[in-house]
């Protein structure tokens, strides 16, 4: 048996939901899990990419708390450089010397750190 007191279900990439799946049905299912089963639900979504007008109305009724993810580009950049390029002294020094330029260029075009890692590789 599943102990629902210790269960958290995550719905990730809500903005990528299939057009065949009705958002209202998915949110209704989430609501049923929360209200009837007392399951903790975590919904992860890039709300800027959700084009459905009904989402905001449904979110208002169903989602209890929202947390905006605001990335710290400098800390994340430093972490990526130290973990991925520690053994490459010359390249790491180049990345550190050009950090301001790289971060500025990255921030203008993206907030997806996978893209930054891909570009740096």
């Amino acid at each position: 048996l599943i102990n629902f007191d210790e269960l958290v279900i995550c719905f990730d990439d809500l903005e990528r939901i299939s057009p065949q799946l009705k958002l209202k049905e998915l949110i209704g299912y989430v609501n049923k899990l929360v209200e009837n089963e007392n399951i903790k639900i975590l919904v992860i979504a890039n709300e800027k990419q959700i084009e459905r007008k009904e989402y905001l109305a449904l979110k208002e009724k169903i989602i209890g708390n929202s947390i905006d993810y605001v990335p710290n580009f400098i800390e994340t950049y430093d972490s990526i450089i130290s973990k991925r390029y520690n053994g490459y002294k010359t390249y790491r020094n180049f990345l550190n010397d050009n950090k301001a330029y790289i971060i500025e260029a990255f921030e203008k075009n993206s907030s997806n750190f996978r893209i930054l890692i891909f570009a740096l590789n």
Side-chain angles (χ1 to χ4, degrees):
L1 295 174
I2 298 173
N3 183 354
F4 290 115
D5 292 333
E6 298 176 4
L7 184 66
V8 175
I9 297 177
C10 296
F11 291 89
D12 193 7
D13 292 330
L14 191 64
E15 70 276 6
R16 295 183 188 173
I17 191 171
S18 168
Q20 287 78 28
L21 181 60
K22 294 179 181 174
L23 186 61
K24 187 174 184 176
E25 289 178 10
L26 176 64
I27 298 295
Y29 180 68
V30 167
N31 186 51
K32 179 183 173 192
L33 292 174
V34 171
E35 287 187 357
N36 297 344
E37 304 296 339
N38 201 31
I39 295 175
K40 293 153 200 73
I41 303 289
L42 179 63
V43 178
I44 303 168
N46 184 341
E47 292 183 331
K48 293 176 186 172
Q49 292 183 357
I50 298 177
E51 297 177 6
R52 300 176 188 190
K53 295 176 183 178
E54 65 186 320
Y55 170 72
L56 292 176
L58 293 169
K59 176 188 168 190
E60 207 171 271
K61 293 178 184 177
I62 307 301
I63 308 287
N65 297 309
S66 292
I67 300 171
D68 289 334
Y69 170 69
V70 181
N72 183 320
F73 288 97
I74 294 171
E75 284 183 16
T76 304
Y77 181 86
D78 290 342
S79 177
I80 290 169
I81 301 311
S82 69
K83 290 179 181 175
R84 292 186 168 265
Y85 306 106
N86 194 33
Y88 304 94
K89 183 179 179 183
T90 304
Y91 188 50
R92 188 184 70 239
N93 288 341
F94 169 82
L95 293 174
N96 284 325
D97 291 345
N98 293 284
K99 177 166 83 171
Y101 173 75
I102 294 169
I103 289 173
E104 179 184 345
F106 177 70
E107 283 182 311
K108 286 180 182 178
N109 297 296
S110 179
S111 60
N112 186 331
F113 290 106
R114 288 178 287 202
I115 293 172
L116 175 64
I117 291 168
F118 179 79
L120 294 177
N121 284 335

